[in-house]
Amino acid sequence: MNTDDDMLARRLAVTLAQAANALPGAPAGAVGAVRRRFVRRRRRLRMATGAAAALVALATVVAVAGPQLGLRTTPATPHTGVIQLWTLGTADRNPGLRDRIGAFNDRSDVSVRLSTFGNDAYKRVMAGPWPDPAPDVFENWGGASLTEPVRTGHATDITDAVAERPELSDVLLPCVLEGAKVDGRLYGLPMTGVQPVVLFYNKKLFTGAGLDPPRTYAELLTAVDTFRGKDITPIALGGGERWPALMYLSYLTDRIGGSGVFADIVAGRPGAWRHPALKQAATLVRELVDRGAFGPAADVMGYESGTASQALASGQAAMQVMGSWEYGNQLRADSTFATRDLGWVPFPTVAGGIGDPAALVGVPANYLTVDAQSPYRTEAVDFLLRTVTSDAYLDGLLEAGEVPAIRDLEPRLAAHPHAEFARFTHALAESAPTFTLVWDQALPSTVAGELLDETERLFRLEITPDQFVAAMAATR
């Protein structure tokens, strides 16, 4: 797509997301149906022209962002300006965010206006030059998605502001705050719960097979062979999108060589992509594929469409490696399965590996960052500081099935229906010596794109582990 077309597509995506605030809600199930049709056609659409790609992004905004937002009402009091808050559509699952926006708007001369985007549309809008129109507060994953705004002067340093407020600095988990730091300075606060990648499993299937959930790679292979023998897909993989496959490579590399392997890659150190742990991890990935771990439908199954998660819930698949957000997805889709038959364990260890078994890969959190060039920077920072540790916001995260990134979670879990999963996830994050951001978010977009392409080829057995390593080493 040429530059002019790309800029037009990005502006239209923003306009549609903002206009969606006035749209009525869609009929029940309509969003899911549109999303499923979109994902089924994704492979064919990859062959489309640049203009068609822009329409895909815009369709995602209309189908996902608009119907979730519902009708808006005019503020009771006039405001002198508007803080544009841009997030992914998943932010709308936290009722505490709406509460905090309303409370802020009631007392401030400047109002907050939320615009939500589908995942692909948001990445398109935020890629390349800074968007015009631009957000005053924007969601990001940390890593490269935060480093670039810092470098270009579009991220406000809030280090001192947070240090002066012990209700923030003493409450939030340090390992999560690290994810919003660049060169030791803090540029964001967590808007989501902690999101480690873990291994989910179907309890009923494991009980029926006489198996315990796998704690080691060897036990994982045993489970794969056992379920294959029962004509059950061992591991549900949303191969229709490329990023779920990358989680296996990320974790296996960490388990084999430790978190320093990827830290060197992010730092751009010479030869980092050629560390032996990366080739060994790619070899284990090939072994899983050769063994039939992901079944025959992995290439067309999607995560964002819900088909991979449905396979796990329905008993068509026995396991799924996914971020902790999977619990909330299962809870919304089938609360009976989520609360009775869904199990979870940390990602398995690898014999002989030097990685710390307590180390995590995933998303420490998604963050909210204030644009340093916003005309309402002061008010936006105030909104951010007042929101993310408020009772309404934290309780809203729990209600949505997420686990707030705070030190003392237990008092909030009394009689909470999801306390077991919350304790598990929180304990992982609290004790993790390192919490590595998923690779496609930690790396610059050009390198991440190559990584996703080569990972897809590796999982399809189109390249060998040596070829994978060589291809990635050529990106630096």
Side-chain angles (χ1 to χ4, degrees):
M1 182 185 297
N2 64 46
T3 302
D4 289 342
D5 285 346
D6 186 61
M7 183 63 70
L8 176 61
R10 294 168 75 205
R11 287 180 177 176
L12 284 172
V14 173
T15 300
L16 287 172
Q18 292 174 340
N21 291 317
L23 292 177
V31 173
V34 171
R35 189 184 291 116
R36 286 191 293 275
R37 289 196 298 272
F38 167 69
V39 173
R40 283 198 299 268
R41 298 171 185 171
R42 180 185 298 271
R43 190 172 303 281
R44 186 172 61 196
L45 287 169
R46 284 179 184 167
M47 306 287 292
T49 64
L55 292 175
V56 169
L58 301 183
T60 304
V61 176
V62 174
V64 180
Q68 290 179 347
L69 289 173
L71 291 169
R72 289 296 186 118
T73 56
T74 303
T77 56
H79 296 111
T80 59
V82 176
I83 296 170
Q84 297 289 350
L85 170 61
W86 289 8
T87 73
L88 294 172
T90 50
D92 218 46
R93 297 173 184 166
N94 179 1
L97 177 59
R98 295 288 186 194
D99 177 274
R100 291 297 85 201
I101 290 174
F104 183 86
N105 290 350
D106 286 343
R107 68 169 186 80
S108 175
D109 291 336
V110 177
S111 66
V112 174
R113 180 179 298 159
L114 175 64
S115 297
T116 65
F117 299 76
N119 187 70
D120 289 345
Y122 190 66
K123 288 179 179 177
R124 177 180 294 277
V125 167
M126 298 302 289
W130 196 244
D132 177 20
D136 301 283
V137 184
F138 58 96
E139 180 176 356
N140 61 85
W141 295 269
S145 67
L146 180 57
T147 301
E148 186 60 24
V150 171
R151 300 283 185 252
T152 57
H154 285 288
T156 300
D157 186 336
I158 59 172
T159 309
D160 296 335
V162 170
E164 292 169 359
R165 302 191 55 160
E167 69 272 22
L168 292 170
S169 57
D170 294 346
V171 169
L172 295 168
L173 288 174
C175 71
V176 174
L177 288 179
E178 284 297 317
K181 288 183 179 180
V182 177
D183 298 331
R185 304 296 291 180
L186 185 65
Y187 291 92
L189 290 176
M191 70 164 291
T192 65
V194 293
Q195 300 170 345
V197 172
V198 301
L199 189 150
F200 290 93
Y201 67 97
N202 187 308
K203 290 181 181 179
K204 184 179 294 184
L205 291 182
F206 269 78
T207 299
L211 293 175
D212 292 324
R215 299 283 183 163
T216 67
Y217 180 75
E219 292 175 354
L220 179 64
L221 291 182
T222 297
V224 167
D225 293 342
T226 299
F227 287 114
R228 277 205 65 204
K230 294 178 175 291
D231 291 326
I232 296 170
T233 298
I235 306 173
L237 174 65
E241 297 105 15
R242 298 171 297 171
W243 57 268
L246 185 56
M247 294 178 177
Y248 295 85
L249 190 67
S250 305
Y251 248 129
L252 289 169
T253 300
D254 196 286
R255 292 290 190 253
I256 294 166
S259 59
V261 176
F262 187 63
D264 287 346
I265 290 173
V266 172
R269 295 189 173 91
W273 280 110
R274 294 191 179 276
H275 193 287
L278 189 64
K279 178 183 174 181
Q280 188 177 347
T283 301
L284 295 186
V285 163
R286 287 274 307 220
E287 181 179 22
L288 287 170
V289 176
D290 285 334
R291 218 155 176 137
F294 305 111
D299 275 357
V300 296
M301 189 176 289
Y303 182 76
E304 293 177 20
S305 67
T307 54
S309 298
Q310 174 59 27
L312 178 64
S314 66
Q316 298 174 51
M319 296 172 280
Q320 181 177 213
V321 171
M322 187 48 63
S324 59
W325 55 82
E326 172 66 2
Y327 180 81
N329 288 345
Q330 292 285 3
L331 191 66
R332 284 182 290 276
D334 185 348
S335 60
T336 300
F337 170 74
T339 56
R340 185 181 64 190
D341 293 325
L342 180 65
W344 47 81
V345 289
F347 190 88
T349 59
V350 177
I354 65 172
D356 193 317
L360 296 177
V361 172
V363 181
N366 288 17
Y367 302 95
L368 288 178
T369 296
V370 175
D371 185 352
Q373 299 182 29
S374 166
Y376 309 111
R377 183 178 63 176
T378 299
E379 294 88 346
V381 169
D382 180 54
F383 167 75
L384 190 57
L385 297 177
R386 290 175 179 271
T387 295
V388 299
T389 57
S390 66
D391 287 338
Y393 195 84
L394 296 176
D395 290 342
L397 285 175
L398 282 169
E399 183 178 333
E402 296 197 45
V403 181
I406 57 176
R407 294 177 188 264
D408 191 12
L409 181 65
E410 192 59 36
R412 295 184 180 275
L413 296 180
H416 197 280
H418 316 305
E420 183 183 2
F421 182 73
R423 289 190 180 99
F424 165 79
T425 306
H426 189 264
L428 289 182
E430 196 170 32
S431 62
T434 56
F435 200 147
T436 299
L437 179 63
V438 288
W439 291 7
D440 56 326
Q441 298 298 340
L443 293 168
S445 58
T446 53
V447 179
E450 289 289 332
L451 176 59
L452 290 168
D453 287 343
E454 297 304 324
T455 299
E456 183 177 40
R457 296 179 66 199
L458 180 69
F459 270 74
R460 291 183 179 178
L461 306 182
E462 296 173 356
I463 57 174
T464 66
D466 281 321
Q467 290 171 322
F468 173 83
V469 169
M472 292 315 303
T475 63
R476 291 283 187 171

